[in-house]
């Protein structure tokens, strides 16, 4: 043999099966497909390995092409032991050194002829324009210039085999492994394919032809016969592997230089952008071809995202309404009432002086004395029993309660003991109906008072209490001319910062206790109650979001299910990609991209559906507030769902055995 061998097999064995006995059953014996095969092939040879079906020749080809590993023995490529190569180095060898021509063509059905040819170059990181030009040139050379954009189903068997040869030559095709390349072709197409292989061999390519047909094998320069996993004859050995076993053209592969460039070749791949773009293109093609199934998968994501957006919007809208309703009764409020915790202790009293002391406590914005009494109002021949609140002019701010018509009384009214009154909405309706009460006089316990305003409607606060069934007068007037006492019913306190409500309540208690020398009063922290109600509403909103997120989880399970089905359906495609040089991470990226693309499209459609549903709810007067953060979060969760639930199927695809994947139906 001239020069060092490119491929050398030393006592190669390959066995399948061999399973231990289970539960007393019979152990499955192993089957030896190859039995101590040893041979050498030099660069530039045209070798035919011939044998009947089951003789082990296809297994031998898989070992040659690094698709399978021997059970025992040593395979040396350019003097290097393949057993020491990692997965990426083996993928690089398949991509750069070998080109496979299969009997069944093994073209990817969703890709065009040109795209099928380009696959090895994609995994080599060849720029888009360069690989497009190369694939067109190869297909034109193979007589398929008019079939560039045809898919495999639109090509004849001979044309598909030419596409397979073009793919094998895309990255140089230094070593062509042809497994029964004419087995599925008619005689004319078969002759054309063999003529192509002879032409490539003459050009210096190393061609290893696997066939059962001795006439086809006779086209090779060297014929090796294999029977029952053993080599029984080798014409190269008989001829001493002289000039007759080699072509006159120099070999296309310099083995030593090729191995020397391995480290650089393995490190050189396409950029992340290029890889991602190709993965997206292939993913979109597959999803579009199976668009009905894709749509069904999308529904789960769409419903999940839309549910999250709508539920959170309704929760936020409801929360705003609750807060607005509470704000109408004053949110940052504390109450001081007479009487201690001990019912047997002194009753205690509160005075306007106490209200003044409370005003001076830090974080207190206002402190209004309240004196409550029950009175009879009369207008014309109508009498109404109602509640009278005697308050200062600060009450409007403390209670967050303004007149709907007329004005609130002023500090001058308070100083002058003005006989003026503001009517609650229900009192006004009972006395005046729909008429404007401002300017009219009513009798309050037979004392004439001028109506200067009607208060805004508030509605019931709790239980039977109704703030609209009250009337308000200046504190000086009510205490002296109606109720007859200045002892307060309570003090209403407005605070600035809600987060300091507990501290402020304690300080008020300390100040009054120091003044009274006894704790004959109580401080009620309504602000804390409002805060608790707000936190409760927030919790309910979160619960609504979590309930809606269950829909998104169900959608994610749907994605995982469809991806598992896709891996099962496309197992052969995975094997083809691995045979053409795809690494495990390339396969992982491909299927993760598909899962993420499904989730991303579902997320976009889910956001659109959620906004449309929300718009319809708003049009129907349902409180809903959309949050950009909630929308972005729902979309991000959809993408994350695709990644999480797509990872297991993608990893399963990446870990498939190339030989097993290629053999799948």
């Amino acid at each position: 043999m001239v020069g060092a061998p490119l491929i050398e097999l030393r006592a190669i064995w390959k066995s399948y099966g061999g399973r231990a006995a289970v539960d007393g059953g019979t152990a499955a014996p192993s089957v030896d497909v190859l039995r101590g095969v040893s041979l050498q092939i030099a660069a530039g040879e045209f070798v035919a390995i011939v044998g009947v079906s089951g003789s082990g020749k296809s297994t031998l080809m898989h070992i040659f092409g690094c698709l399978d590993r021997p059970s025992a023995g040593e395979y040396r490529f350019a003097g290097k032991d393949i057993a020491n190569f990692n997965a990426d180095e083996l993928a690089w060898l398949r991509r750069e050194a070998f080109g496979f021509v299969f009997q069944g063509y093994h073209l990817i059905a969703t890709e065009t002829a040109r795209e099928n040819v380009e696959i090895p170059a994609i995994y080599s990181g060849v720029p888009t324009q360069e690989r497009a030009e190369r694939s067109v040139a190869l297909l034109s050379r193979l007589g398929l210039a008019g079939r560039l954009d045809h898919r495999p189903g639109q090509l004849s068997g001979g044309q598909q085999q030419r596409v397979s040869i073009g793919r094998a030559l895309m990255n140089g095709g230094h070593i062509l492994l042809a497994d029964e390349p004419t087995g599925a072709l008619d005689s004319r197409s078969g002759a054309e394919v063999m003529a192509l292989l002879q032409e490539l061999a003459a050009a210096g390519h190393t061609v290893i032809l696997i066939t059962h047909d001795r006439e086809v094998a006779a086209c090779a320069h060297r014929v090796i016969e294999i029977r029952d996993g053993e080599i029984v004859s080798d014409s190269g050995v008989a001829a001493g592997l002289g000039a007759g076993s080699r072509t006159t053209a120099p070999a296309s592969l310099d083995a030593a230089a090729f191995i020397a460039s391995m480290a650089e070749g393995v490190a050189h791949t396409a950029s992340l952008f290029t890889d991602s773009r190709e993965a997206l293109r292939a993913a979109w093609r597959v999803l579009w071809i199976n668009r009905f199934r894709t749509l069904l998968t999308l529904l789960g994501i769409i419903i999940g995202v839309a549910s999250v957006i709508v539920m959170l919007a309704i929760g936020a809208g409801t929360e705003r309404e609750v807060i607005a309703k509470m704000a109408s009764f004053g949110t940052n409020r504390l109450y001081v009432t007479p009487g201690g915790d001990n019912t047997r202790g002194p009753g205690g009293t509160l005075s306007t002086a106490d209200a003044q002391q409370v005003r001076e406590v830090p974080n207190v914005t206002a402190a209004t004395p309240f004196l409550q009494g029950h009175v009879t109002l009369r207008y014309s021949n109508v009498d109404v029993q109602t509640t009278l609140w005697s308050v200062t002019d600060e009450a409007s701010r403390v209670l967050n309660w303004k007149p709907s018509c007329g004005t609130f009384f002023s500090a001058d009214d308070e100083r002058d003991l003005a006989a003026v009154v503001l009517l609650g909405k229900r009192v006004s309706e009972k006395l005046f109906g729909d008429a404007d009460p401002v300017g009219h006089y009513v009798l309050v316990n037979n004392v004439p008072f001028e109506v200067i305003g009607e208060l805004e409607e508030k509605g019931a606060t709790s239980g039977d209490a109704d703030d609209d069934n009250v009337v308000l007068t200046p504190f000086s007037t009510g205490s002296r001319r109606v109720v007859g006492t200045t002892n307060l019913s309570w003090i209403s306190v407005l605070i600035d910062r809600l987060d300091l409500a507990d501290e402020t309540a304690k300080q008020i208690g300390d100040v009054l206790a120091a003044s009274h020398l006894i704790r004959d009063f109580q401080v009620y922290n309504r602000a804390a109650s409002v805060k608790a109600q707000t936190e409760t509403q927030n919790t309910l909103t979160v619960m609504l979001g979590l309930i809606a997120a269950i829909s998104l989880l169900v959608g994610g399970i749907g994605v995982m299910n469809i991806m598992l089905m896709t891996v099962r359906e496309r197992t052969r495609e995975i094997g083809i990609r691995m045979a053409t040089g795809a690494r495990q991470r390339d396969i992982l990226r491909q299927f993760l991209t598909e899962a993420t693309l499904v989730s991303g499209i579902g997320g976009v459609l889910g956001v659109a559906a959620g906004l449309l549903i929300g718009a319809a709810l708003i049009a129907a007067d349902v409180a809903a507030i959309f949050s950009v953060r909630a929308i972005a979060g729902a979309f991000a969760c959809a993408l994350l769902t695709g990644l999480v639930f797509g990872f297991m199927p993608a990893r399963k695809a990446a870990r498939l055995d190339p030989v097993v994947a290629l053999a799948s139906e």
Side-chain angles (χ1 to χ4, degrees), residues 10 13 21 124 129 138 149 163 196 241 245 269 295 300 331 342 356 364 371 380 420 473-474 483 529 597:
R10 298 178 181 178
W13 286 74
S124 294
Q129 184 63 32
L138 281 170
D149 294 320
V163 173
L196 280 171
L241 290 178
S245 68
T269 57
L295 179 61
T331 52
N342 186 358
Q356 182 59 40
V364 171
L371 175 59
S380 186
V420 293
T473 64
V483 181
S529 174
L597 184 60

Side-chain angles (χ1 to χ4, degrees), residues 24 95 123 158 160 229 247 257 271 344 356 364 383 390 445 474 617 644:
R95 187 167 64 240
Y123 297 127
Q160 290 186 62
T247 63
S271 66
R344 296 183 180 181
Q356 182 59 40
V364 171
D383 288 348
S390 301
N445 285 353
L617 291 174
V644 171

Side-chain angles (χ1 to χ4, degrees), residues 105 152 154-161 185 189:
Y105 321 131
Q154 300 170 308
L155 301 174
S156 67
Q159 290 171 334
Q160 290 186 62
Q161 195 63 288
L185 303 178
S189 298

